[in-house]
């Protein structure tokens, strides 16, 4: 089984409203992933992505040094951001009984599970706006007939986006619900690799786009012999990594490393393998130990991205089945926090200098930097240093938020994660229970005095139990705050 961690940016006015995990624009967020280096942790043999901090003695590199490809005619190619599939969310975090709103590529979207389909239900992705008065459909509900219902005035929509019922329309009057103006924009979507994907074009000619083009497929995510291993944070610095950019084109590029390959598949997929996996491929044998990185960096809006990532491996599957998903997410949040605030400053400084001058304000002399250089080159060559937003967007990166806003966890992740939401409810209930127990024991001592607890030892034990319950509740409150709401990340103490 694969587990996928999801770190979300905000949906626009939807049922599960959230503030954004303010990751940078896709150009820097994806680049930050590509800038990670593989290393083995001492004693554990596990692969950890850490920032490279030790330089090689080699000639300085520039953006042009690692241009993915300069074949004749390729310079004129332009990457089409709207002719791509984008992950909406892991299906395990989508409740079939409620609509879910998110923003992708500047589009406000709502996903809902359509039970009106013959032969079983399926997920749909619509524009998150009712055509009546533009209320967000993600604030709505799934009605008794399995339709998406806007709660503002009760309009109901079927799986194809057509309006099926307007409560205010007279039963014997004209069928105003059949008008094309009563329809909601519907996007092609598909469930693949335990993710809900959508294609950002809703015109009729794109209805069957899945026949022509499918989302990137990672077979290990669906392989029952794999599970996703979430890594621990490495407290040491980086080491030199030899990397060579290969197979560069408008579709992405491959970076061959000593520890394994890293592939960037445009526009938002990063897929990594280890050296044992590569050796197995070369020999034609199945490697007994395989580790992979899978990450999707989804553009939301200027200065905002959504990150979904996991680490599939076929090692320790039995142990993985008993480790709660929320525990792994706590570890992953810490890894995200270690870079998030730093990358925000990086993005804004690049913007101030001009994205075409990024290599002039950054010094990237080592081969460990080759993937960030290759990505920036790809972004310059095929995208003109611009994301092809689906809707009009400001050309300016939003001001840097406070550190607490960047590192907050509840709206950016917990509220959208079924496992973390359940863990939060359970820990809050346990906290209340411990507080009630501590008060109850003290009250019991006050009422009974010496009638039931006759010895000093018994009374001391009861008092100790009350104190322990209170202390445990305080510890649990601190645990809840740090892991489900906010914990400052101070690199000096990590």
């Amino acid at each position: 089984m694969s587990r996928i961690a999801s770190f979300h940016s905000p949906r626009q006015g939807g049922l599960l409203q959230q503030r954004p995990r303010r990751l940078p624009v896709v150009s820097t967020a994806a680049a930050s992933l590509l800038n990670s280096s593989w290393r083995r942790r001492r004693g554990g043999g596990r692969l950890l992505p850490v920032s490279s901090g030790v330089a090689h003695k080699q000639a300085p590199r520039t953006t042009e040094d690692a241009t993915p490809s300069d074949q004749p005619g390729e310079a004129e190619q332009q990457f089409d951001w709207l002719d791509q599939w984008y992950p909406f969310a892991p299906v395990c975090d989508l409740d079939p009984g409620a609509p879910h709103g998110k923003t992708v590529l500047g589009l406000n979207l709502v996903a809902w599970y359509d039970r009106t389909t013959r032969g079983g239900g399926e997920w749909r992705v619509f524009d998150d706006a009712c055509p009546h008065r533009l209320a967000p459909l993600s604030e709505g509900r799934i009605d008794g007939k399995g339709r998406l219902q806007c709660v503002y005035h009760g309009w109901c929509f079927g799986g194809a986006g057509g309006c099926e019922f307007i409560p205010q329309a007279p039963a014997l009057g004209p069928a105003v619900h059949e008008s094309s103006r009563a329809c909601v924009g519907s996007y092609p979507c598909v469930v693949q690799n335990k993710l809900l994907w959508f294609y950002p074009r809703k015109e009729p000619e794109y209805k069957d786009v899945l026949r022509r083009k499918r989302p990137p497929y990672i077979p290990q995510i669906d392989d029952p012999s794999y599970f996703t291993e979430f890594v621990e944070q490495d407290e040491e610095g980086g080491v030199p990594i030899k990397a060579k950019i290969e197979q560069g084109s408008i579709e992405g590029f491959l970076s061959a490393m000593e520890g394994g390959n890293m592939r960037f598949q445009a526009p938002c997929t990063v897929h990594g393998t280890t050296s044992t996996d590569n050796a197995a491929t070369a020999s034609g044998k199945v490697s007994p130990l395989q580790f992979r990185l899978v990450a999707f960096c989804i553009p939301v809006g200027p200065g905002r991205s959504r990150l979904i990532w996991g680490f599939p491996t076929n090692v320790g599957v039995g142990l993985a089945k008993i480790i709660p998903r929320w525990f792994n997410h706590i570890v992953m949040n810490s890894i995200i926090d270690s870079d998030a605030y730093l990358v925000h400053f990086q993005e804004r400084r690049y913007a101030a200098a001009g994205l075409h001058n990024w290599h002039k304000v950054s010094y990237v002399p080592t081969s460990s930097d080759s993937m960030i250089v290759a990505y920036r080159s790809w972004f310059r060559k095929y995208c003109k240093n611009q994301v092809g937003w689906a809707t009009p967007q400001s050309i300016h990166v939003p001001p840097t938020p406070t550190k607490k806003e960047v590192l907050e966890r509840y709206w950016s992740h917990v509220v959208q994660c079924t496992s973390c939401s359940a863990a939060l409810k359970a820990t809050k209930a346990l906290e209340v229970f411990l507080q009630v127990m501590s008060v109850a024991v003290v009250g019991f001592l006050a009422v009974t005095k010496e009638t039931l607890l006759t010895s000093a030892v018994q009374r001391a034990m009861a008092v100790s139990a009350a104190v322990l319950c209170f202390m445990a509740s305080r510890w649990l409150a601190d645990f809840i705050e740090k892991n489900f709401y906010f914990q400052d990340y101070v690199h000096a103490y990590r």
Side-chain angles (χ1 to χ4, degrees):
M1 284 181 61
S2 292
R3 298 178 184 168
I4 300 177
S6 178
F7 301 88
H8 307 267
S9 77
R11 64 146 214 157
Q12 304 293 315
L15 179 64
L16 298 177
Q17 187 168 2
Q18 56 183 335
R19 292 186 299 171
R21 166 76 65 167
R22 293 178 181 267
L23 292 175
V25 172
V26 66
S27 60
T28 293
S32 179
L33 284 173
L34 297 174
N35 198 33
S36 296
S37 303
W38 288 100
R39 64 164 299 171
R40 288 190 181 276
R41 187 183 180 191
R42 293 181 302 175
R46 301 166 76 183
L47 294 171
L48 305 174
V50 297
S51 297
S52 177
V54 180
H56 277 177
K57 288 186 178 181
Q58 58 187 56
R61 300 171 62 88
T62 66
T63 305
E64 288 71 25
D65 290 338
T67 299
S69 178
D70 286 313
Q71 297 300 321
E74 282 198 343
E76 291 74 29
Q77 287 184 282
Q78 184 71 20
F79 185 77
D80 188 352
W81 288 82
L82 299 184
D83 187 28
Q84 313 295 331
W85 287 89
Y86 294 88
F88 185 91
V91 175
C92 62
D93 289 326
L94 297 176
D95 179 5
H100 301 265
K102 294 187 186 298
T103 301
V104 178
L105 211 65
L107 293 169
N108 298 330
L109 306 168
V110 58
W112 64 287
Y113 194 70
D114 175 21
R115 292 188 176 88
T116 65
T117 307
R118 292 182 179 178
E122 59 182 296
W123 287 98
R124 307 286 189 182
V125 176
F126 286 1
D127 280 324
D128 192 13
C130 178
H132 179 216
R133 299 276 289 276
L134 304 184
L137 291 171
S138 52
E139 288 282 1
R141 65 170 69 95
I142 310 301
D143 73 359
K145 296 183 179 181
R147 304 171 299 192
L148 177 61
Q149 184 180 48
C150 176
V151 293
Y152 194 22
H153 292 99
W155 287 33
C156 298
F157 302 92
C163 182
E164 298 187 353
F165 178 61
I166 299 178
Q168 298 79 16
L172 300 179
V176 294
H177 68 280
E178 295 180 359
S179 168
S180 60
R181 297 188 61 187
C183 297
V184 181
S186 177
Y187 296 88
C189 60
V190 65
V191 174
Q192 179 175 289
N193 279 154
K194 302 179 176 66
L195 295 166
L196 174 61
W197 296 76
F198 95 103
Y199 184 86
R201 301 296 295 268
K202 56 188 175 183
E203 294 83 358
E205 59 265 33
Y206 297 100
K207 180 180 179 181
D208 297 323
V209 65
L210 196 62
R211 297 180 180 178
R212 173 178 65 86
K213 185 173 188 175
R214 296 191 63 89
Y217 180 67
I218 312 298
Q220 286 73 24
I221 295 179
D222 291 336
D223 190 334
S225 65
Y226 277 72
F227 72 94
T228 300
E229 173 68 42
F230 295 95
V231 301
E232 299 177 359
Q233 182 185 3
D234 189 353
E235 297 179 357
E236 299 179 51
V239 296
I241 297 293
K242 293 182 179 180
K244 181 180 179 181
I245 304 300
E246 300 175 350
Q247 302 177 15
S249 72
I250 194 173
E251 302 297 331
F253 54 84
L254 174 72
S255 176
M257 302 180 182
E258 290 180 335
N261 291 344
M262 291 283 287
R263 179 181 295 278
F264 165 64
Q265 187 168 349
C268 59
T269 302
V270 178
H271 179 211
T273 62
T274 66
S275 56
T276 55
D277 190 16
N278 296 339
T281 301
S283 64
K285 299 179 181 180
V286 177
S287 173
L289 303 178
Q290 295 190 18
F291 302 84
R292 294 174 181 265
L293 162 69
V294 180
F296 306 96
C297 185
I298 307 153
V300 173
R304 299 178 180 179
S305 298
R306 180 176 300 114
L307 181 62
I308 303 174
W309 62 333
F311 295 84
T313 176
N314 59 1
V315 180
V317 176
L319 178 61
K321 291 181 179 179
I322 63 175
I323 298 177
R325 185 168 173 246
W326 61 265
F327 179 81
N328 288 320
H329 285 190
I330 287 175
V331 176
M332 192 63 69
N333 267 317
S334 180
I335 295 173
I336 291 289
D337 289 349
S338 68
D339 286 341
Y341 200 56
L342 306 179
V343 174
H344 273 77
F345 285 102
Q346 177 193 78
E347 177 69 13
R348 282 149 182 81
R349 288 166 181 169
Y350 283 168
L355 292 182
H356 58 287
N357 291 321
W358 80 272
H359 60 289
K360 296 180 180 179
V361 296
S362 291
Y363 181 53
V364 285
T366 73
S367 64
S368 300
D369 299 311
S370 62
M371 289 199 74
I372 182 67
V373 175
Y375 177 80
R376 286 290 181 180
S377 299
W378 176 88
F379 194 56
R380 171 190 57 81
K381 182 175 181 180
Y382 299 114
C383 305
K384 310 302 181 187
N385 288 322
Q386 295 181 345
V387 175
W389 302 108
T391 58
Q393 301 288 322
S394 170
I395 62 174
H396 301 292
V397 178
T400 300
T402 66
K403 197 172 184 180
K404 188 170 184 178
E405 290 175 320
V406 173
L407 301 181
E408 72 84 25
R409 294 183 177 180
Y410 181 76
W411 294 110
S412 64
H413 173 70
V414 174
V415 76
Q416 296 285 5
C417 174
T418 54
S419 180
C420 290
S421 296
L424 177 59
K425 291 179 182 178
T427 50
K428 278 187 172 181
L430 180 57
E431 178 194 0
V432 172
F433 172 77
L434 291 172
Q435 291 176 348
V436 170
M437 287 297 296
S438 65
V439 173
V441 171
V442 173
F444 175 76
L445 288 174
V447 171
T448 61
K449 295 184 179 179
E450 299 182 2
T451 57
L452 295 178
L453 301 179
T454 57
S455 70
V457 174
Q458 290 176 328
R459 290 193 295 273
M461 292 179 62
V463 171
S464 298
V467 172
L468 287 175
C469 285
F470 178 78
M471 292 177 62
S473 71
R474 292 300 83 210
W475 178 88
L476 200 57
D478 183 65
F479 175 85
I480 290 172
E481 173 65 21
K482 290 181 177 179
N483 292 287
F484 297 108
Y485 290 97
F486 167 75
Q487 181 177 16
D488 192 11
Y489 195 99
V490 183
H491 288 81
Y493 305 128
R494 299 268 181 147

